[in-house]
């Protein structure tokens, strides 16, 4: 029984070995991170070239180079905003999946919380 929660690949999957569910999140963030890094490097190279050109430019050419730089920066801001929304959507989907799991299995959730509290209590008293 796999239930998909949200539209971004976050789902509860049955773990048949111990009759529990695990939260699986699609691993597209690595590809998005690599794309953002590549775009940032490209933006920095373009900005460097534009700044070097601005040093020798005058008048209309200077205004054109400034416009070109603003367009590049706007594109970078949009990509960063898109990545931010994607991460927020994944976090919301994970929270919904967790909430659904806790509502479907309240006693298991209480047991896990009690076990975590017990272990933390042991660690704190150890010091």
């Amino acid at each position: 029984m796999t239930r998909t929660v949200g539209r971004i690949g976050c789902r509860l999957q049955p773990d048949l070995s111990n009759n529990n569910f695990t939260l699986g999140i699609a691993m597209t963030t690595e590809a998005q991170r690599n794309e953002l890094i590549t775009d940032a490097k490209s933006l920095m190279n373009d900005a460097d070239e534009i700044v070097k050109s601005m040093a020798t430019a005058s008048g209309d050419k200077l205004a054109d180079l400034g416009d070109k730089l603003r367009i590049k920066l706007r594109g970078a801001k949009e990509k960063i905003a898109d990545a931010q929304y994607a991460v927020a959507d994944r976090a919301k989907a994970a929270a919904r999946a967790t909430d659904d799991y806790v509502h479907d299995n309240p006693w298991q959730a209480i047991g896990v919380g009690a076990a975590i509290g017990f272990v933390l209590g042991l660690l704190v008293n150890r010091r």
Side-chain angles (χ1 to χ4, degrees), residues 52-67:
K52 287 178 183 175
S53 297
M54 287 177 136
T56 60
S58 62
D60 291 337
K61 187 175 181 183
L62 187 62
D64 290 341
L65 290 173
D67 290 340

Side-chain angles (χ1 to χ4, degrees), residues 21-84:
F21 288 85
T22 58
L23 181 65
I25 298 177
M27 297 304 292
T28 59
T29 53
E30 184 70 25
Q32 288 176 336
R33 184 178 74 85
N34 290 337
E35 183 181 345
L36 280 175
I37 289 172
T38 302
D39 289 343
K41 287 179 181 178
S42 174
L43 175 67
M44 294 302 291
N45 289 335
D46 291 345
D48 189 40
E49 289 176 20
I50 291 171
V51 169
K52 287 178 183 175
S53 297
M54 287 177 136
T56 60
S58 62
D60 291 337
K61 187 175 181 183
L62 187 62
D64 290 341
L65 290 173
D67 290 340
K68 185 177 178 182
L69 182 60
R70 278 190 281 286
I71 290 169
K72 294 273 187 186
L73 288 173
R74 190 176 307 123
K77 285 181 184 179
E78 289 172 0
K79 286 188 179 193
I80 289 171
D82 289 345
Q84 177 184 357

Side-chain angles (χ1 to χ4, degrees), residues 55-123:
T56 60
S58 62
D60 291 337
K61 187 175 181 183
L62 187 62
D64 290 341
L65 290 173
D67 290 340
K68 185 177 178 182
L69 182 60
R70 278 190 281 286
I71 290 169
K72 294 273 187 186
L73 288 173
R74 190 176 307 123
K77 285 181 184 179
E78 289 172 0
K79 286 188 179 193
I80 289 171
D82 289 345
Q84 177 184 357
Y85 290 125
V87 169
D89 284 346
R90 280 192 199 95
K92 288 176 187 177
R96 279 191 297 268
T98 303
D99 187 54
D100 288 345
Y101 178 79
V102 169
H103 281 98
D104 292 344
N105 304 295
W107 289 109
Q108 285 181 336
I110 290 170
V112 169
I116 291 172
F118 180 74
V119 169
L120 287 176
L122 287 176
L123 291 174

Side-chain angles (χ1 to χ4, degrees), residues 9-30:
C10 182
R11 60 190 175 274
L12 288 174
Q13 298 173 329
D15 181 3
L16 301 177
S17 64
N18 60 5
N19 216 10
N20 286 333
F21 288 85
T22 58
L23 181 65
I25 298 177
M27 297 304 292
T28 59
T29 53
E30 184 70 25

